[in-house]
Amino acid sequence: MSRTTIRSITIEPLNIPLLEPFTIATGSVSDARNVLITITLDDGSVGYGESAPFPPSTGESQETALAAAQGCAALIEGKDAAHWRTLSELMSSVYFSQVTAIAGIEMALLDALTHSYGIPLYVFFGGASTSIETDMSIPMVTPEHGYELAKDVVARGINCIKIKVGGDIRDDVARVEAIREGAPGLGLTLDANQGYTANEALLCLEALDDRDIRPLMMEQPVHKDDHERLRYVTQHTTVPIAADESAYSAANVAHLIAMGAVNVVNIKLMKCGFVEALDIAAVCRAAHTQLMIGAMIESRLATSAAAHFVAGLGGFRYIDLDTPMLLAEDPFTGGYEQTGGIYDVSSVKSGLGIELK
């Protein structure tokens, strides 16, 4: 029996309150209702994983993720974590609609495995760099509150703000204006979370251009399945357009790129898991399409995994891994050291470097 054989897997709820409700075009949440996975190998190495379902985006809930994670655990317990790609394929063949559960178990497998190997996860993924720089998101709030939140982002030393839009265009434009006023020197990106029609997205960008505001990028302006209108927006603006909810597999992303529907692809580990994320990144690199990393409502645990993934691969243009800063508490320490918007993983000795408080 190998020292990296999976000895045990535990699955439990992970509930964390937010500092304030976080509202986007598809809904509002006041706490993270996630799943914690703990894997122990035969040599005693322990790995942690987090599943972060978000029903409007993934069609999963904490309840379904808990059930699927228990099912996945039964499939792989007693098998060798070193064969993590094969184990991922096995889980996906049964629980193909419960991707966040699989992503959480993949995370725990990789954390435990790289602890056993004695290397940090970012080195396992290629070691391209030892730090990344994230933006910080501002949800759909009043212009006045957006202004105050923008000033707070500046005070934190963060250099880019992601603004949630996708509602009434006048309200959205007013929010963006107020945030620009509160943080005049910072880069701005927009995320409509499928909330616009194609024409509304273009009208929003036109209204902002009239106010001398040019976003660095607009993410997912239209419904995730409306690829033709996504292409219409992309072809009628010079602002880079990103696919988020529309991009969930390598084959799907290859199709979007081939039809000229996007300039940027947002990889979220909770949408596709680690194996598929590696394939999506390869497709985008081959097609010279810019890469982005994003997240659901995730703790320091899942955020660390994404940070190690990005630092290891390198080449990501847009990084949106701010959710630990939106939480009222966090049950984990380690993973990275933060200065402003920079997450530094260089001090991690093995695995994710995450510990439970």
Side-chain angles (χ1 to χ4, degrees), residues 194-349:
Q194 312 178 68
Y196 287 143
T197 65
N199 285 335
E200 286 170 342
L202 294 170
L203 284 170
C204 175
L205 292 173
E206 184 179 329
L208 291 173
D209 189 59
D210 290 342
R211 291 159 176 79
D212 199 28
I213 301 173
R214 179 182 167 83
L216 298 173
M217 178 265 291
M218 176 184 268
E219 192 179 345
Q220 199 62 50
V222 299
H223 190 274
K224 64 185 179 68
D225 296 326
D226 200 344
H227 297 171
E228 288 297 337
R229 285 181 175 80
L230 184 61
R231 173 166 64 177
Y232 183 86
V233 175
T234 299
Q235 294 183 342
H236 287 81
T237 179
T238 57
V239 174
I241 301 298
D244 175 8
E245 288 90 345
S246 290
Y248 47 82
S249 71
N252 158 258
V253 166
H255 173 69
L256 290 172
I257 293 171
M259 66 183 289
V262 293
N263 312 112
V264 183
V265 170
N266 184 354
I267 294 176
K268 285 181 178 172
L269 295 173
M270 292 301 143
K271 283 189 307 187
C272 59
F274 287 81
V275 173
E276 196 70 21
L278 288 167
D279 288 347
I280 292 172
V283 167
C284 290
R285 290 176 194 276
H288 305 287
T289 300
Q290 290 185 328
L291 282 168
M292 176 179 179
I293 189 85
M296 304 302 183
I297 305 298
E298 300 168 15
S299 75
R300 174 178 284 263
L301 170 53
T303 300
S304 296
H308 280 250
F309 182 83
V310 170
L313 265 66
F316 281 72
R317 170 67 178 84
Y318 304 95
I319 298 173
D320 178 38
L321 297 175
D322 62 326
T323 52
M325 293 184 272
L326 308 176
L327 301 175
E329 57 191 56
D330 200 333
F332 304 101
T333 59
Y336 53 83
E337 295 178 357
Q338 182 175 357
T339 304
I342 295 175
Y343 296 164
D344 189 333
V345 298
S346 62
S347 63
V348 174
K349 302 304 181 187

Side-chain angles (χ1 to χ4, degrees), residues 9-353:
I9 306 175
T10 60
I11 314 291
E12 56 192 305
L14 179 63
N15 298 321
I16 309 170
L18 272 64
L19 289 167
E20 61 178 83
F22 193 82
T23 302
I24 64 175
T26 52
S28 180
V29 295
S30 57
D31 62 344
R33 291 177 49 79
N34 297 346
V35 176
L36 174 63
I37 298 111
T38 307
I39 290 180
T40 304
L41 305 183
D42 264 359
D43 67 358
S45 299
V46 176
Y48 297 113
E50 180 178 5
S51 169
F54 185 60
S57 296
T58 67
E60 300 166 75
S61 66
Q62 184 184 50
E63 292 75 18
T64 64
L66 279 165
Q70 293 282 7
C72 289
L75 287 175
I76 68 169
E77 194 167 350
K79 293 183 167 56
D80 193 342
H83 303 148
W84 63 280
R85 280 179 174 266
T86 304
L87 298 183
S88 174
E89 184 179 352
L90 173 62
M91 292 186 290
S92 298
S93 70
V94 179
Y95 294 97
F96 49 84
S97 294
Q98 297 292 331
V99 181
T100 64
I102 294 170
I105 290 188
E106 285 179 327
M107 193 184 303
L109 281 169
L110 288 165
D111 187 22
L113 190 64
T114 47
H115 273 305
S116 181
Y117 290 166
I119 59 171
L121 190 59
Y122 77 90
V123 171
F124 181 82
F125 279 128
S129 63
T130 58
S131 66
I132 65 168
E133 186 171 5
T134 184
D135 63 15
M136 189 162 185
S137 299
I138 294 180
M140 296 177 77
V141 295
T142 64
E144 294 76 17
H145 191 34
Y147 175 82
E148 294 301 326
L149 290 174
K151 289 174 71 70
D152 179 62
V153 174
V154 174
R156 286 173 177 265
I158 294 169
N159 295 316
C160 185
I161 296 176
K162 174 170 158 174
I163 306 169
K164 294 293 186 177
V165 295
D168 180 89
I169 294 175
R170 289 166 296 186
D171 292 343
D172 289 344
V173 170
R175 184 182 315 111
V176 175
E177 276 195 290
I179 290 168
R180 197 265 300 265
E181 186 178 342
L186 271 60
L188 303 177
T189 65
L190 306 180
D191 185 3
N193 287 113
Q194 312 178 68
Y196 287 143
T197 65
N199 285 335
E200 286 170 342
L202 294 170
L203 284 170
C204 175
L205 292 173
E206 184 179 329
L208 291 173
D209 189 59
D210 290 342
R211 291 159 176 79
D212 199 28
I213 301 173
R214 179 182 167 83
L216 298 173
M217 178 265 291
M218 176 184 268
E219 192 179 345
Q220 199 62 50
V222 299
H223 190 274
K224 64 185 179 68
D225 296 326
D226 200 344
H227 297 171
E228 288 297 337
R229 285 181 175 80
L230 184 61
R231 173 166 64 177
Y232 183 86
V233 175
T234 299
Q235 294 183 342
H236 287 81
T237 179
T238 57
V239 174
I241 301 298
D244 175 8
E245 288 90 345
S246 290
Y248 47 82
S249 71
N252 158 258
V253 166
H255 173 69
L256 290 172
I257 293 171
M259 66 183 289
V262 293
N263 312 112
V264 183
V265 170
N266 184 354
I267 294 176
K268 285 181 178 172
L269 295 173
M270 292 301 143
K271 283 189 307 187
C272 59
F274 287 81
V275 173
E276 196 70 21
L278 288 167
D279 288 347
I280 292 172
V283 167
C284 290
R285 290 176 194 276
H288 305 287
T289 300
Q290 290 185 328
L291 282 168
M292 176 179 179
I293 189 85
M296 304 302 183
I297 305 298
E298 300 168 15
S299 75
R300 174 178 284 263
L301 170 53
T303 300
S304 296
H308 280 250
F309 182 83
V310 170
L313 265 66
F316 281 72
R317 170 67 178 84
Y318 304 95
I319 298 173
D320 178 38
L321 297 175
D322 62 326
T323 52
M325 293 184 272
L326 308 176
L327 301 175
E329 57 191 56
D330 200 333
F332 304 101
T333 59
Y336 53 83
E337 295 178 357
Q338 182 175 357
T339 304
I342 295 175
Y343 296 164
D344 189 333
V345 298
S346 62
S347 63
V348 174
K349 302 304 181 187
S350 65
L352 283 170

